[in-house]
């Protein structure tokens, strides 16, 4: 039995609706099942989803104060008033800056940009940087992907005579900043129909309003920022990303091509995963480590050589970022080892941890322990700790931090992620406060990860054509995640560990005629729990594996479970050190025959079968029992998850069989004719005469003794007087040999499948 790592939650399915989608849209059942699982209820809805076009974009002037913002900016353009775009240091921020910069440049604006330094200026509007830029002559400041929480800095800029327009998408606090215009999809006085735009999406809306049309050359940047910022890919975000990726694949932009080349992922193959795992992290890297201006310079490079130089620098920073993340993760893991139990909320802090990368570490720790996690870098000079937080379902981070005021000096974010700054001495009080909130709001079940199964499918529904058709449903992301599939009750046909550290699992499931390859990264330990023939249910993703010009469906494992008892065959391996390392920890080693104790006692702790108590779930049978019932009783009473079968026997009789009646008859007559048989003196004569082994002769004589056919004095056997007629099978010695041979046949010399059937049936 193998328990799943998470709670599997099956989405309901409507078979009639699925069939109607298949018939009307000419799509395979697998795609129809996904649409139904995502709560698409009508054929028309499904058609619009698949065939989404530019009509999905909402009118930007539906945003509150968009008219005033456009009028203010247009006046500045006409008057050649210097305009500053004030960006942010992540991928959303740098693409937002690029989108608005290009739009304003195309309109003839006198425009430049500034990106705050994470370490010098912190997040959002910075009064010092604003003042510096105003003294340089900038009179209009437009924030992108930030500003909604920059009350003091914005007021300071206005006091110095600047006009400030905020464009943002982050959580709005209890009060709005005193900006001249605020463009926000969730403005409390607005009624924009889609609240989930990324910062770059809001900047794109402003650019569209200024230009009077949709400039599709901007969409690749909007798609990159939208994907990187993990906003829901629904409504107009979906169209932006779908169309933006299509244009990205064909882009001739030198900055984007240099980024793709440095990532070793060509533009023509770019999809949402490419952006999420290759392009996005590189655009994020400089802002995490140094100055995000470099990323904006790449996206706006004027020559290929310039773009290539910037891209290589981003690449090097990304490598540094990866190494830094790995080091901090390892140090955080070491800190976790000090906990006897995983706390309800994990708060870890250390001097020297880079605040720019701790969000990634927080995500990793949250994924591993499934706890809300805060990772903080301590700065002794400032007396502050800065960091990032990630959460789990049911624990609203932003609200928890809000309830922790005034312990937390500065914070921002949403339900699942946040950033914060606190005095060093408040780290422990914050930990205690957040744990208290968790105890008030979460139940034990909330700490068990959930895995939503979108589609239950079968191997015969999966082929290359179906997987190619899956492109109709892309892009996948937040709000419309890549589907999770379940294939139920399939047999393991092959299983092995792969990878240099043997920490990954590769197996084939199905039947001998209908099979599917499965890969489970970091599932190497599960390979030790699986045996060929086990019935499993698997959950995960289905992809196309391309290797040496061949394309095959491949199941990417996210979780696995099995109700089968796992039976591991360790029979016939004489050297214990060859198989003992494969036995799971906490196994119970059972011995049936006391005479074998010496063989095993120095290697493993022994439990005699008759002394077995408790509920032993991992059992090792070291030797053969006297009766099959002994094993069956143990399995029935303990219901183990795993059985390891060694079944050592000092002497085997299966190959020799039981002597025939003719053999017994000859020996009886030989004793009778000779008057007696001195075993010590005469067994060799019999052995030579008949070609029998000594053990065979001893066995037959014991049977005669059991049946009282002979008597024994010393080593001399004599025919007994008044012999009663009895069957050889009545002798206990004969019966014990029959049982021994039967046990050896069923337990020692059977095939693996026969053994498993014998033990579990």
């Amino acid at each position: 039995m193998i328990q799943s790592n998470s709670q599997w939650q099956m989405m309901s399915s409507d078979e009639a609706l699925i069939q109607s989608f298949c018939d009307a849209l000419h799509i395979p059942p697998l795609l129809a099942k996904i649409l139904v699982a995502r709560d698409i209820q009508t054929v028309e809805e499904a058609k619009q989803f698949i065939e989404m076009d530019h009509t999905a974009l909402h009118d930007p002037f539906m945003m509150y104060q968009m008219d005033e913002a456009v009028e203010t900016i247009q006046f500045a353009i006409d008057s050649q008033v210097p305009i500053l775009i004030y960006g942010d240091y992540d991928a959303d921020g740098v693409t937002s800056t690029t989108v608005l910069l290009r739009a304003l440049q195309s309109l003839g604006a006198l425009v430049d940009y500034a990106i705050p330094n994470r370490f010098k200026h912190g997040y959002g509007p910075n009064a010092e940087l604003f003042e510096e830029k105003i003294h340089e002559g900038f009179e209009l400041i437009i924030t992108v992907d930030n500003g909604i929480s920059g009350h003091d800095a914005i007021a300071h800029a206005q006091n110095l005579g600047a006009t400030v327009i905020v464009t943002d998408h982050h959580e709005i606090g209890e009060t709005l900043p005193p900006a001249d215009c605020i463009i926000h999809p969730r403005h409390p006085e607005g009624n924009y129909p889609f609240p989930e735009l990324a910062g770059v999406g809001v900047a794109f809306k402003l650019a569209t309003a200024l230009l009077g049309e949709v400039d599709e050359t901007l969409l690749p940047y909007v798609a990159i920022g939208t994907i990187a910022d993990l906003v829901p890919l629904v409504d107009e975000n979906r169209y932006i990303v779908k169309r933006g990726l299509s244009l990205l694949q064909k882009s001739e932009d030198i900055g984007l091509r240099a980024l793709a080349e440095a990532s070793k992922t060509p533009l023509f193959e770019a999809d949402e995963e490419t952006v999420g795992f290759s392009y996005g992290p590189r655009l994020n890297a400089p802002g995490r480590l140094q100055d995000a201006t470099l990323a904006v310079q790449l996206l706006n490079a004027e020559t290929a050589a310039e773009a290539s130089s910037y891209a290589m620098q981003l690449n090097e920073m990304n490598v540094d970022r990866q190494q830094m993340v790995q080091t901090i993760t390892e140090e955080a893991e070491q800190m976790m080892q000090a906990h006897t139990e995983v706390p309800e909320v994990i708060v870890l802090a250390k001097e020297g941890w880079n605040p720019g990368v701790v969000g990634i570490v927080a995500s990793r720790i949250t994924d591993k322990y499934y706890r809300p996690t805060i990772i903080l870098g301590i700065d002794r000079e400032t007396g502050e700790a800065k960091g990032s937080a990630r959460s789990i379902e049911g624990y609203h981070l932003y609200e928890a931090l809000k309830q922790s005021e005034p312990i937390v000096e500065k914070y921002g974010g949403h339900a699942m992620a946040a950033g914060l700054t606190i005095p060093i001495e408040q780290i422990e009080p914050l930990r205690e406060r957040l744990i208290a909130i968790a105890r008030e709001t979460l139940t034990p079940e909330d700490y068990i990860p959930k895995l939503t199964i979108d589609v239950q499918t079968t191997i015969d529904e999966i082929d290359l054509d179906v997987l190619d058709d899956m492109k109709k449903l892309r892009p996948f992301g937040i709000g419309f995640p890549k589907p999770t599939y379940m294939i139920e009750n399939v047999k393991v046909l092959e299983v092995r560990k792969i990878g240099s550290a043997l920490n990954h699992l590769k197996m084939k499931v199905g039947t001998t005629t209908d099979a599917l390859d499965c890969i489970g990264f970091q599932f190497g330990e599960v390979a030790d729990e699986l045996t060929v023939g086990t019935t499993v249910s698997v959950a995960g993703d289905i992809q196309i594996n391309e290797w040496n010009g061949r394309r095959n469906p491949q199941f990417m494992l996210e979780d696995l479970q099995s109700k089968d008892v796992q039976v591991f065959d360790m029979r016939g391996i004489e050297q214990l050190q060859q198989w003992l390392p494969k036995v799971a920890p906490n196994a119970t080693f059972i011995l049936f025959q006391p005479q074998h104790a010496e063989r095993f006692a120095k290697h493993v702790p022994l439990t005699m079968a008759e002394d077995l108590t408790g509920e032993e779930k991992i059992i090792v049978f070291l030797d053969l029992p006297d009766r099959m019932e002994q094993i069956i009783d143990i399995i029935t009473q303990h219901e183990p998850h795993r059985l390891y079968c060694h079944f050592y026997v000092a002497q085997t009789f299966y190959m020799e069989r039981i002597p025939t009646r003719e053999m017994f008859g000859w020996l009886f007559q030989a004793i009778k004719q000779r008057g007696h048989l001195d075993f010590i003196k005469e067994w060799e004569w019999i052995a030579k005469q008949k070609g029998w082994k000594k053990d065979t002769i001893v066995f037959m004589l014991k049977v005669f003794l059991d049946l009282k056919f002979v008597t024994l004095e010393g080593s001399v056997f004599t025919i007994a007087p008044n012999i009663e007629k009895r069957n050889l099978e009545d002798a206990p010695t004969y019966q014990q040999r029959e049982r021994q041979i039967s046990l050896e046949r069923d337990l020692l010399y059977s095939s693996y499948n026969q053994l498993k059937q014998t033990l579990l049936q």
Side-chain angles (χ1 to χ4, degrees), residues 119 288-289 320-321 323-329 331-332 335 348-358 361 375-387 424 427:
F119 308 99
R288 293 186 184 280
L289 303 184
D320 292 343
R321 189 269 307 170
Q323 293 173 343
M324 194 175 294
V325 167
Q326 184 62 30
T327 298
I328 297 175
T329 301
E331 292 175 355
M335 290 183 181
L348 302 175
K350 187 176 179 180
E351 191 170 357
W353 283 357
N354 188 317
V357 301
V358 292
V361 178
I375 305 293
L376 298 163
I378 293 174
D379 187 335
R380 295 290 177 190
E381 290 186 11
T382 64
E384 292 181 332
K386 294 182 180 180
I424 296 172
I427 293 175

Side-chain angles (χ1 to χ4, degrees), residues 346-503:
I346 297 170
V347 179
L348 302 175
K350 187 176 179 180
E351 191 170 357
W353 283 357
N354 188 317
V357 301
V358 292
I360 304 170
V361 178
S363 293
R364 291 188 178 183
I365 299 297
T366 298
D367 289 344
K368 179 171 181 177
Y369 295 99
Y370 202 68
R371 296 288 192 276
T373 300
I374 296 179
I375 305 293
L376 298 163
I378 293 174
D379 187 335
R380 295 290 177 190
E381 290 186 11
T382 64
E384 292 181 332
K386 294 182 180 180
S388 294
R390 299 294 183 268
S391 195
I392 63 175
E393 187 177 333
Y395 192 85
H396 197 297
L397 259 181
Y398 185 83
E399 289 299 323
L401 292 173
K402 187 176 180 181
Q403 292 178 44
S404 302
E405 295 176 349
I407 295 173
V408 185
E409 280 188 352
K410 293 190 291 186
Y411 64 94
H414 48 79
M416 301 302 289
L420 66 156
T421 301
I422 62 172
I424 296 172
E425 64 272 13
Q426 295 292 359
I427 293 175
E428 188 57 36
L430 176 64
R431 179 187 288 112
E432 293 173 359
R433 177 65 185 137
L434 294 177
I435 288 175
I437 293 171
R439 289 173 179 170
E440 293 169 3
T441 57
L442 298 179
T443 66
E445 289 72 26
D446 290 325
Y447 295 112
I448 303 174
K450 281 82 174 175
L451 181 63
T452 299
I453 308 293
D454 297 286
V455 175
Q456 184 170 344
T457 187
T458 55
I459 295 177
D460 60 6
E461 283 188 331
I462 302 166
D463 60 35
L464 292 175
D465 290 338
V466 170
L467 296 180
D468 284 332
D469 273 348
M470 201 66 67
K471 294 174 184 175
K472 295 176 181 177
L473 303 185
R474 302 188 84 140
F476 297 120
I478 302 298
F480 192 78
K482 184 179 290 188
T484 299
Y485 306 89
M486 182 185 74
I487 304 176
E488 193 172 31
N489 297 331
V490 287
K491 294 287 187 183
V492 175
L493 305 178
E494 299 174 10
V495 60
R496 62 190 174 95
K497 293 181 180 180
I498 60 171
S500 58
L502 298 179
N503 55 338

Side-chain angles (χ1 to χ4, degrees), residues 8 14 46 114 127 205 217 286 310 328 363 392 435 448 459 469 483 531 535 557 572 605 613-614 655 671:
W8 293 12
D14 183 331
K205 286 296 174 182
T217 65
Y310 290 142
I328 297 175
S363 293
I392 63 175
I435 288 175
I448 303 174
I459 295 177
D469 273 348
T531 54
T535 299
L557 203 64
T613 59
M655 299 301 180
I671 299 172

Side-chain angles (χ1 to χ4, degrees), residues 636-655:
T636 303
Q637 292 173 19
H638 295 270
E639 297 182 349
H641 298 164
R642 286 184 239 174
L643 294 173
Y644 295 84
C645 301
H646 182 53
F647 292 139
Y648 170 77
V649 58
Q651 183 179 9
T652 178
F653 297 101
Y654 179 67
M655 299 301 180

Side-chain angles (χ1 to χ4, degrees), residues 20-37:
S20 71
F21 286 179
C22 293
D23 295 339
L25 303 173
H26 308 292
I27 58 176
L30 202 58
L31 270 66
K33 288 180 180 180
I34 295 168
L35 293 173
V36 171

